[in-house]
Amino acid sequence: MSTIPSDRSPESTLAFLREGYRFVGARCDRLGTDIFQTRLLLEPTICLRGRPAAELFYDTERFVRRGAMPMRAQRTLTGVGGVQGLDGAEHRSRKAMFMSIMTPAAVRHLGQLFDDEWRARIPAWAESGPVVLYDEVGRMLTRAVWAWAGVPLADADVPRRTAEMHAMIEGPAAVGPGHWRGRLGRRRAERWAGEVIERVRSGALPAPEGSALRVVAGYRDEQGMLLPRRIAAVELLNVLRPTVAVDRFVVFAALALHDHPQWCERVRDDDTAAMSFVQEVRRYYPFFPVAAARVRRPFEWQGHAFPQGRRVLLDLYGTNHHPQLWPEPERFRPERFDGWRGDPFGLVPQGGGDHFTGHRCAGEWITIELMKRAVANLTGSMSYRVPPQDLALDLGRMPALPPSGLVLDGVRRTA
Ligand code: HEM
């Protein structure tokens, strides 16, 4: 049995926060390996990247999620007690609840709501002068997903609900005020989401058949029990928050259109090209850096021992940029997805494996639908300029975003 290569650092948490998306990849490159051991959050941690590693990581016989996610991420991003930290039968049952909401018709419906929001906003952008796309898309997605999920939302509350979602998303890797904003955003959001759940259960608030709100409020576990109110709030937020987070991918798509204008016409006129473009945006741009699990029971892989309980990180960004999987990984080339048959362990911006039985993102189809709608609107419903601004992506910042949020100017409706 061979020893897992080590980065020999007594503690790498600060390096991880500083180097961000490149942390795992840089060490893999330096050590000439796709597996190494380090210390993160005061614990020995095995880091992996690449397709075989993703296949291993999503084997639920070998890994569990209980206790894998750092507390600072649970207190901001995911909440405590949600589907992300469950295993076995409990996970399958809870995950089935999420997947029951993701029918093709429901996904299209959300896409349509977002599309309606977008088209309705164009005249206001045309009159207002420069707009920050990130801010605009965040609010449009908030309106769309609240309506889709059956959750009431007053116009006046849109900015603060959007801000709460953004704070939660930015909380895990933020230090100081950014992290505390994330915790506060989560506390507030869980409080009102819990009240909404309560009102549905008491019959005071009707929730449309099949809506996320109705499904989560009425979900019963394998013992026939309703979820405790706080956990139901966490799960409702597990639908609302990440849908708003698609605003980052929309900004990346707009950035890609700006940097590669030859794609504008192709994605507007050809659905297959639009799909390839969206997939390449999801592969190329940084969003979730890593996923975390713990070894269920000791095993050996590629001659390396994985001891029980050891925390293991899969480098999602690094797998999406692995040269053995993606030739010229640092080039944005949507045509690499022309005729692509799919690979559950190759393209992993939203996790790998199976949506129903594993921890792969429940909202992947929604994400793709919303990105396609955004790209269609950016190329087909409006013209605009991108004035000079700071668009540099800092891979040391998690989650990444161009500092300007992508300012658009001179917006005109074209269709
Ligand atoms: C903004 C784009 C999104 C990205 C980058 C993203 C990314 C991810 C990642 C990396 C995971 C964890 C995979 C793992 O633990 O192995 C995940 C899980 C999850 N995502 Fe997403 N996601 C996005 C959008 C969505 C949307 C739109 C929804 C719901 C409407 C959603 C709901 C979930 C849920 C419920 C889980 C937990 C799944 C489980 O543990 O079984 N996500 N997502």
Side-chain angles (χ1 to χ4, degrees):
M1 193 120 48
S2 51
T3 325
I4 296 179
S6 163
D7 77 346
R8 296 180 190 282
S9 168
E11 176 59 34
S12 295
T13 306
L14 286 178
F16 179 71
L17 290 175
R18 201 173 49 239
E19 295 173 36
Y21 296 94
R22 288 259 162 79
F23 173 84
V24 177
R27 281 157 185 75
C28 284
D29 291 346
R30 202 155 64 227
L31 297 164
T33 170
D34 280 342
I35 174 171
F36 68 91
Q37 185 150 289
T38 184
R39 278 182 71 86
L40 284 170
L41 296 170
L42 309 172
E43 275 194 56
T45 302
I46 297 173
C47 299
L48 302 169
R49 72 165 181 183
R51 193 189 184 286
E55 198 162 358
L56 171 76
F57 182 84
Y58 283 100
D59 180 348
T60 51
E61 295 298 310
R62 290 181 157 173
F63 292 97
V64 291
R65 295 305 179 97
R66 189 174 302 277
M69 176 100 64
M71 255 349 252
R72 61 184 288 118
Q74 293 186 46
R75 294 210 173 101
T76 51
L77 183 68
T78 61
V80 178
V83 63
Q84 292 92 341
L86 302 181
D87 296 300
E90 203 184 354
H91 174 257
R92 279 185 189 228
S93 169
R94 190 86 66 87
K95 190 67 178 286
M97 170 187 84
F98 283 96
M99 298 316 293
S100 75
I101 310 167
M102 309 296 170
T103 62
V107 170
R108 266 197 313 279
H109 181 214
L110 177 57
Q112 189 59 52
L113 290 168
F114 178 49
D115 212 43
D116 295 345
E117 289 291 336
W118 192 300
R119 284 161 177 273
R121 280 299 285 163
I122 296 176
W125 297 342
E127 278 180 18
S128 72
V131 291
V132 177
L133 187 68
Y134 175 63
D135 297 344
E136 291 289 329
V137 175
R139 289 193 289 264
M140 293 192 291
L141 285 168
T142 297
R143 287 177 192 277
V145 71
W146 256 250
W148 179 75
V151 184
L153 178 65
D155 273 354
D157 288 339
V158 174
R160 87 173 142 141
R161 295 293 172 241
T162 312
E164 282 165 8
M165 301 301 121
H166 283 163
M168 286 189 260
I169 294 154
E170 283 159 17
V175 281
H179 180 70
W180 289 101
R181 256 197 311 279
R183 286 190 180 209
L184 186 64
R186 169 151 294 280
R187 271 205 301 279
R188 288 189 174 144
E190 284 188 12
R191 198 177 322 121
W192 68 253
E195 283 161 15
V196 174
I197 295 282
E198 222 29 71
R199 284 168 57 214
V200 173
R201 286 178 175 171
S202 71
L205 176 68
E209 181 75 43
S211 64
L213 177 56
R214 172 105 160 231
V215 168
V216 172
Y219 164 79
R220 289 181 185 274
D221 65 15
E222 316 95 285
Q223 277 78 46
M225 303 295 284
L226 287 173
L227 292 175
R229 167 183 161 153
R230 195 193 59 75
I231 307 276
V234 165
E235 299 300 32
L236 182 59
L237 291 174
N238 264 336
V239 174
L240 303 175
R241 181 200 67 254
T243 305
V244 175
V246 175
D247 55 8
R248 289 173 184 269
F249 268 155
V250 171
V251 167
F252 292 146
L255 188 58
L257 288 170
H258 175 62
D259 286 342
H260 309 276
Q262 71 277 19
W263 279 91
C264 293
E265 238 173 79
R266 285 165 81 177
V267 300
R268 190 186 56 215
D269 300 337
D270 176 353
D271 277 356
T272 315
M275 186 62 181
S276 295
F277 183 85
V278 163
Q279 295 292 44
E280 180 69 343
V281 170
R282 295 197 314 130
R283 181 198 74 82
Y284 179 82
Y285 288 96
F287 203 141
F288 265 70
V290 295
R294 283 189 188 278
V295 175
R296 181 191 284 273
R297 60 180 82 90
F299 67 85
E300 196 191 309
W301 181 73
Q302 295 191 349
H304 299 300
F306 282 64
Q308 182 162 353
R310 180 65 42 92
R311 182 180 272 153
V312 176
L313 298 185
L314 176 69
D315 182 3
L316 301 176
Y317 178 80
T319 302
N320 288 337
H321 286 253
H322 200 293
Q324 274 165 19
L325 265 166
W326 311 104
E328 298 187 284
E330 303 311 328
R331 278 190 61 202
F332 183 85
R333 288 201 309 115
E335 58 270 36
R336 70 174 85 238
F337 284 103
D338 292 350
W340 189 63
R341 294 236 182 98
D343 176 356
F345 303 107
L347 179 66
V348 292
Q350 296 177 240
D354 185 72
H355 294 98
F356 292 83
T357 58
H359 283 272
R360 190 184 188 112
C361 174
E364 197 162 14
W365 306 323
I366 283 182
T367 306
I368 292 171
E369 171 76 15
L370 293 170
M371 290 174 72
K372 278 166 54 180
R373 299 279 186 161
V375 164
N377 276 308
L378 284 165
T379 57
S381 312
M382 57 195 260
S383 62
Y384 56 89
R385 286 189 304 270
V386 178
Q389 59 192 287
D390 188 357
L391 291 172
L393 270 187
D394 175 3
L395 290 177
R397 186 194 149 172
M398 299 179 288
L401 194 70
S404 67
L406 193 43
V407 177
L408 307 184
D409 200 2
V411 174
R412 295 280 171 273
R413 179 195 281 283
T414 54

